[in-house]
Amino acid sequence: MSIRLLTGAAALALTAGAAAADYSLTILHTNDFHARFEPISKYDSGCSAEDNTNGECFGGSARLVTAIEEARKRSNNAILVDGGDQFQGTLFYTYYKGKLAAEMMNKMGYDAMTVGNHEFDDGPEVLRGFMDAVDFPVLMSNADVSGEELLADVLMKSTVIERGGEKLGLIGLTPQNTDELASPGKNIIFTDPSDAVQGEVDKLTEMGVNKIIVLSHSGYGVDQAVAENTTGVDVIVGGHSNTLLSNTIEGAAGSYPTMVGNTAIVQAYAYGKFLGELNVTFDDEGNVTEAVGEPIILDGAVTEDEATVARIAEAAAPLEEIRNKVVAEAAEAIEGNRDVCRAMECSMGNLVADAMLARVKDQGIEIAIANSGGLRASIDAGEVTMGEVLTVLPFQNTLSTFQVSGATVVEALENGVSQIEEGAGRFPQVAGITFTVDAAAEPGSRVSDVMVGGAPIDAEKMYGVVSNNYVRNGGDGYKMFVDAENAYDFGPDLADVTAEFIAENAPYQPYTDGRITMK
C-alpha cells in the first residue's frame, strides 16, 4: 500500500490563495473519552483536588466545556464531533452507563459521533438508551444492523447536516472486529471499512453533497488505508488507537493533519486531554484547499466551567464511598501505559496476572493470561484507592478458569502477539509461564521457548489456565478458549482480586522479571 503522508507545513500549501467563494469550516473533535468526566493525572488516572488546584491535572468535562466555547468564538462556522468510545473507563460509567455521557455531550452541543467498540460493552440495549438520550446522530456505516431490532432503522450509516449554508456529509465507522472487542451480540454483522465508506460517499455525492467527513473509530492505520482506498473523503476524524497527532508536541505519531492524498486525517489522543481543532477550506467543488490546526491541550491553564464542576461533583457523590477507600500502598508507580503493556511485559500486567494466578493456584491452575486491552491506566506511588484500581480495571470482568492443551496455550500466545505492530489490546500479560516473541516474524510464528513452571510446555498435556470471562469467551481473538474444558466464568471481579492482592503485598513493589522476552 502506498500512502503519501504530508507534513503539517505541506498541508498548508495544498493550493495557494483562497477564492472569495471558498467555504471554511472548523472541525472540533474528541475521541476515546472513556468516562473521564473528572480531571485526570499525567497517568490518565484520577487526579486529586489538591493537584487540580495546583494546575497539575488535565481534561475533565468542565475544562472541555470551556475549551469548546473558546474555540467556537475563534470560528464563525464550527462543528463538534466525536470519534467514539465515550463509554467505559471509570466508576461513572459503571454506575450511570451512558446517561452521564449523553447529558454532557448534549450540554457541549455535539453534532455527531461514531460508535466505538466500547459503546457495545453492555450490548445493544445500553447503546440504544444512549442514542435515545442524545440530541445528535450516532453513526456506523460498516455493519449490517437489520437483524438487531434495537438498532435497526435507528442506527444510521451516514447523515447530512447543514452548517454555514452548506451541506456536510458525515459517515460513521467502527472497528471491523468489534465482535471480538466488545459484546454487540450475534445479530450485527461487521464489514470492511473502505467498502462501507465508499458506499456512503457515493450515496451522499448523488445527493449533491460534496463535503464529506468520516468519523472513524478504527485506528490511525485503518484511517490511512481508508483514505488511500476511497475517493471523495475530505476529512477523517479518528479514534480507537488513542493517537496523538501534532506538529509541535514531541513524541506525536504524525502531523496534524496527516494528509493522504487530499484527505486530512486527525486524532486527538484520548481521555479528554486534548480538544482537536482543524480548520478546513473547501473550494466550490468541495475539494480541500487548506487543512491546518493543532490539538489544544486541556491543562491547568484552561479554566473549568463552574456549573459543570458542580454537576460532575453531584454525579460523583454516590461513587465517593467506593472509590475513596484506601485498599493498599504502592512502593513505586505501577506502569500500565498502553504503549508499554501492548508491546512487552509491563509491571501492571505482572501485577494483574500474578493476582489472578494467586487467587486460583490452589485449584490446580498453572497459567494466567490477561489481555493488555483490559489494563486502562497506571497507578502512581503511595496510597492506592479502590477508585484507582477500578480505573485500571473498569470492565467488571470476572475470573475464568478452564483447561486447555499446551498446543492451545501456544496458539493463544500467538494470537496475543499477532497484532503487536498495531498496539492491539490482545497482547498477553502472563504469570506461571515464560516465552519469547519475535515481532519481526510472520504472525502465527512469533512465539518460541514457551516454559511452564520452568519446564518446556507439552503440546499434549492439559493445563489449568485463569483469564477473565471476556477472553475466555473469545474476546480479543482468543477464540481457541471458547470450547475449553471445565470452564467456569463466574469467579470474583478482577478489580477486587487485584485490590486484595496489592493489599496482601503492601507496600506493593512493582516489577518485571523477564517472563516475556522480546527478540
Side-chain angles (χ1 to χ4, degrees), residues 40-41 46 122 178 232 273 327 347 399 407 409 421 435 468 484:
I40 57 172
S41 71
D122 288 285
T178 289
K273 191 173 184 178
V327 293
S347 59
L399 257 59
V409 172
E421 53 275 284
F435 63 100
N468 61 62

Side-chain angles (χ1 to χ4, degrees), residues 86 104 123 129 180 185 234 263 269 277 306 313 320 333 377 391 400-401 419 444 453 498 501 511:
Q86 281 282 326
M104 285 294 120
E180 295 180 359
D234 297 303
T263 303
Y269 184 56
E277 183 179 28
E306 290 183 10
E320 288 305 302
T391 300
S400 290
T401 53
Q419 298 178 6
T498 302
F501 184 82
Y511 72 100

